[in-house]
Amino acid sequence: MEPFSGRIGIVGAGALGAFYGARLARAGHDVHFLMRRDYDAVRTNGLTVKSIEGDFHLRPPVYRTAEEMGPCDLTIVGLKTTDNAALPSLLRPVTAGGGLVLTLQNGLGNEEAIAAALGGGADAEERVLGGTAFLCSNRIAPGVVNHMDQGWVRLAEFRGPARERTHAIAAMFTSAGIQCEVRESVASIRWHKLVWNVPFNGLGVAAGRANTADILADDELAPLVRDLMGEVVAAAESDAVRIEPSFIDLMIEVTPKMGGYRTSMQIDYEEGRPLEVESILGEPVRRARKAGVPVPRMQMLYALVRRLDALRRGAKP
Amino acid sequence: MEPFSGRIGIVGAGALGAFYGARLARAGHDVHFLMRRDYDAVRTNGLTVKSIEGDFHLRPPVYRTAEEMGPCDLTIVGLKTTDNAALPSLLRPVTAGGGLVLTLQNGLGNEEAIAAALGGGADAEERVLGGTAFLCSNRIAPGVVNHMDQGWVRLAEFRGPARERTHAIAAMFTSAGIQCEVRESVASIRWHKLVWNVPFNGLGVAAGRANTADILADDELAPLVRDLMGEVVAAAESDAVRIEPSFIDLMIEVTPKMGGYRTSMQIDYEEGRPLEVESILGEPVRRARKAGVPVPRMQMLYALVRRLDALRRGAKP
């Protein structure tokens, strides 16, 4: 399979978008970065990736607005989901030529938000792909990303099964040394990731400064992790996604190997940033509720984290 | 019915014990106070009660140790349940003469802890009474208690139905202007109070600085209150206590009238004091678990508040 080729745009070039964009650029792809906070730094000093797979530096084309960046053949969205309200204004200029959009954002509801930003309907949905990134990376300074672990990607079409272009985009990632799996259902990819993300992201905030090791060492919280995972599996089923019960065992089994891992939500909370509470907890709860699936613990976790997030930002929930 | 008369000891003379002791002393009863923190202040300046029912001041006999206080006919325990480990050493000297003990502490497990402190077995249990105090009071300075609202008491024998002495103790409270009801089951009294206390005390801590008005104004937390109350009612049933479903409606109905009420657990949390997490949340959860009654939300609330309490005190949970 020939790798996808064309003009690639990165929207939301934070620790995730900047990492993947830089890797693709280094591999010779034509990558363009939309940056707000780090525009000046990258314009002046370029983009630096410190990585377990080798440090590198590059001077990519960088833009301050979506209008300046202009139409892309494929736009990769790495935006925090708390900024999803900006999707229409960010995506309209870069997709004006009919380009595709791949979201690697967290949680549920992002493909829907992007399709709506593209104008909605079957035509818009057909241009959207979704995926999950298993990546440990941080922005450690303006224009500097630290890649600490993992990095692989799983992707699928938003609507319908995988097709030639899906495999071409996967081949593009592979050509940049990023392991990439194509799957037949983006819902399945997302719900599988939520099995781990709901308990550890949610409890990491609600239980106060709790990393994965803290949670697993607590006699009352550790069984709650398994209960929450069971609720995510039940909720997924209501969204037509079948998750084997053994997947829960696997998730429980791999977590201690991560040491005292701080989830993105815990880090965001501790650093006073808005939490991805709606995509990781709110939307899964709403889908379960709509299907009449009881998810008492998820619902409570959502209610608590939602309020803690609002309090932290000094807003009324 | 003649009011109970004899030597009354107050153990745990904080905002609750000091208030009831002072009211009984003012009414002419022979009340003795065991005090740690406020011993010097009360020894020097006496005890002051500022109250919606009229301020007053008195100079009661006060002791620094249980040994100095010596045997009482009735000991009223107002100790924070987080100090229950001290019950054996506090109660042995004051109950050496075979006196009775009435606990007005919060939550479940206090009568059991007191009976164990008295040596355990049927003989010890027979000397224990339990009750709940509906009282809004605060210690505002050493030796100064502020009584802001309510004050009535509900009491019962720990084992067996109400008897003459139960009514005599109730008459003693009534003689001091404290409304007091005798009930046939201390378990019933305690579980009824937990219907309100579990959600509002627990969420007041877990949802971060959340008073009753904050909780009821939150679209996700407000329905959770009712769900938690339902779990308490189910758990009570497993402890042979029947609570009418309409009691939940009543509790929901009265709460907005309290305004932005901060529960004792919320206040303790905000002031960095240990939380009564085991008596208000842990013991109810353990009883439900033992009976096989599912209480997913209570269990989660317990797990979260327990860890937040331990974190606040700098201890490992």
Side-chain angles (χ1 to χ4, degrees):
Chain A
M1 170 65 59
E2 276 294 295
F4 183 92
S5 81
R7 197 166 192 263
I8 313 290
I10 306 290
V11 166
L16 181 138
F19 170 74
Y20 287 115
R23 285 290 288 260
L24 292 170
R26 184 180 67 162
H29 296 283
D30 177 26
V31 187
H32 301 256
F33 295 78
L34 178 63
M35 291 188 149
R36 283 172 303 179
R37 229 180 4 168
D38 288 4
Y39 175 85
D40 290 327
V42 174
R43 186 90 175 163
T44 312
N45 305 314
L47 188 57
T48 302
V49 177
K50 297 186 179 297
S51 169
I52 47 160
E53 292 167 356
D55 300 352
F56 65 96
H57 175 266
L58 70 167
R59 294 189 159 276
V62 55
Y63 310 86
R64 205 188 282 276
T65 69
E67 286 74 12
E68 288 168 29
M69 185 154 88
C72 297
D73 299 302
L74 173 66
T75 300
I76 299 174
V77 179
L79 212 62
K80 289 250 333 239
T81 59
T82 48
D83 291 329
N84 275 0
L87 283 172
S89 63
L90 293 175
L91 289 182
R92 247 174 246 141
V94 297
T95 59
L100 306 175
V101 182
L102 165 63
T103 163
L104 296 177
Q105 298 167 284
N106 275 323
L108 295 183
N110 301 309
E111 290 82 10
E112 289 81 352
I114 287 167
L118 300 189
D123 283 0
E125 292 180 357
E126 200 270 337
R127 291 160 62 194
V128 180
L129 296 94
T132 52
F134 295 80
L135 173 71
C136 302
S137 66
N138 262 325
R139 170 187 173 278
I140 53 175
V144 185
V145 168
N146 186 26
H147 169 222
M148 296 164 291
D149 206 4
Q150 310 261 8
W152 55 290
V153 169
R154 209 169 249 166
L155 57 84
E157 293 291 326
F158 177 35
R159 295 301 185 208
R163 44 208 272 195
E164 205 177 305
R165 72 181 191 194
T166 333
H167 290 282
I169 294 171
M172 177 187 76
F173 280 106
T174 310
S175 75
I178 307 285
Q179 197 196 319
C180 185
E181 298 171 5
V182 169
R183 294 294 177 93
E184 295 303 312
S185 153
V186 76
S188 174
I189 292 177
R190 297 211 168 273
W191 278 106
H192 273 85
K193 193 169 178 190
L194 285 170
V195 171
W196 194 92
N197 266 346
V198 165
F200 286 106
N201 280 273
L203 294 175
V205 170
R209 303 198 304 278
N211 65 33
T212 55
D214 295 328
I215 292 168
L216 295 179
D218 185 302
D219 290 346
E220 292 290 333
L221 291 174
L224 185 55
V225 168
R226 183 176 281 276
D227 292 338
L228 279 162
M229 288 182 172
E231 291 188 2
V232 179
V233 169
E237 207 142 316
S238 77
D239 208 16
V241 171
R242 165 107 186 105
I243 301 178
E244 294 294 326
S246 65
F247 185 71
I248 293 179
D249 298 326
L250 179 66
M251 290 297 98
I252 297 276
E253 213 181 288
V254 298
T255 308
K257 294 171 192 154
M258 302 166 70
Y261 181 76
R262 296 193 307 154
T263 62
S264 63
M265 197 179 265
Q266 185 192 350
I267 294 172
D268 283 343
Y269 188 61
E270 291 177 0
E271 300 192 354
R273 295 191 294 253
L275 308 182
E276 297 189 305
V277 59
E278 293 305 328
S279 62
I280 294 178
L281 297 167
E283 187 58 23
V285 163
R286 283 187 287 274
R287 294 198 188 179
R289 246 180 214 163
K290 203 172 159 186
V293 176
V295 288
R297 299 169 188 85
M298 263 170 76
Q299 205 162 319
M300 183 161 160
L301 199 54
Y302 170 50
L304 293 174
V305 173
R306 178 173 171 266
R307 182 172 152 86
L308 292 170
D309 176 47
L311 276 178
R312 176 62 59 101
R313 291 182 291 111
K316 276 274 164 198
Chain B
M1 169 66 63
E2 276 294 295
F4 183 93
S5 82
R7 196 168 192 263
I8 312 291
I10 305 291
V11 167
L16 182 141
F19 171 74
Y20 287 114
R23 286 289 289 258
L24 291 170
R26 185 180 68 162
H29 296 282
D30 177 25
V31 187
H32 300 256
F33 293 80
L34 178 63
M35 289 187 150
R36 284 170 303 179
R37 229 178 6 164
D38 288 4
Y39 175 84
D40 289 327
V42 174
R43 186 86 176 166
T44 313
N45 304 315
L47 188 56
T48 302
V49 177
K50 297 186 180 295
S51 171
I52 47 159
E53 292 167 357
D55 300 353
F56 63 97
H57 176 265
L58 70 169
R59 295 191 157 275
V62 55
Y63 310 87
R64 203 189 286 277
T65 69
E67 287 73 13
E68 288 167 29
M69 185 154 90
C72 298
D73 298 303
L74 173 65
T75 301
I76 298 173
V77 179
L79 213 61
K80 288 253 331 239
T81 58
T82 48
D83 291 329
N84 274 0
L87 282 172
S89 64
L90 292 175
L91 289 182
R92 245 173 246 138
V94 297
T95 60
L100 305 176
V101 182
L102 165 63
T103 165
L104 296 178
Q105 298 166 283
N106 274 323
L108 296 182
N110 300 308
E111 290 82 9
E112 290 81 352
I114 287 167
L118 300 188
D123 283 2
E125 291 179 357
E126 199 272 335
R127 290 161 59 197
V128 180
L129 297 94
T132 52
F134 295 80
L135 173 71
C136 302
S137 66
N138 261 325
R139 170 188 173 278
I140 54 174
V144 185
V145 168
N146 186 26
H147 168 221
M148 296 163 290
D149 206 3
Q150 310 263 5
W152 55 289
V153 169
R154 209 170 249 166
L155 56 83
E157 293 289 327
F158 176 35
R159 295 301 185 207
R163 45 209 271 195
E164 206 176 306
R165 71 181 191 194
T166 332
H167 290 282
I169 293 170
M172 176 187 79
F173 279 106
T174 310
S175 75
I178 307 286
Q179 196 197 321
C180 185
E181 299 170 6
V182 169
R183 294 292 176 96
E184 295 303 310
S185 154
V186 75
S188 174
I189 292 176
R190 294 208 170 276
W191 278 107
H192 272 84
K193 194 169 178 191
L194 285 170
V195 171
W196 194 92
N197 266 345
V198 165
F200 286 106
N201 279 272
L203 293 176
V205 171
R209 306 198 305 278
N211 65 32
T212 54
D214 295 328
I215 292 168
L216 295 180
D218 186 302
D219 290 344
E220 291 290 333
L221 291 173
L224 186 55
V225 167
R226 183 176 282 273
D227 291 338
L228 278 162
M229 287 181 173
E231 290 188 4
V232 179
V233 169
E237 207 144 314
S238 78
D239 208 17
V241 171
R242 164 106 187 106
I243 300 178
E244 294 294 328
S246 63
F247 186 71
I248 293 179
D249 298 326
L250 180 67
M251 289 298 98
I252 296 277
E253 212 181 287
V254 298
T255 308
K257 294 172 193 155
M258 302 166 71
Y261 182 76
R262 295 195 307 154
T263 62
S264 64
M265 197 178 264
Q266 187 193 349
I267 294 172
D268 283 343
Y269 188 62
E270 290 177 0
E271 301 192 354
R273 294 191 296 252
L275 308 183
E276 296 189 305
V277 59
E278 292 306 328
S279 61
I280 294 178
L281 296 168
E283 188 60 22
V285 163
R286 282 187 287 274
R287 293 197 190 179
R289 245 179 216 165
K290 205 171 157 184
V293 175
V295 287
R297 298 170 189 85
M298 262 171 78
Q299 205 162 318
M300 184 160 158
L301 199 55
Y302 170 50
L304 293 174
V305 174
R306 176 174 174 267
R307 180 169 155 89
L308 292 171
D309 175 48
L311 275 179
R312 178 61 58 104
R313 291 184 289 111
K316 275 274 164 201

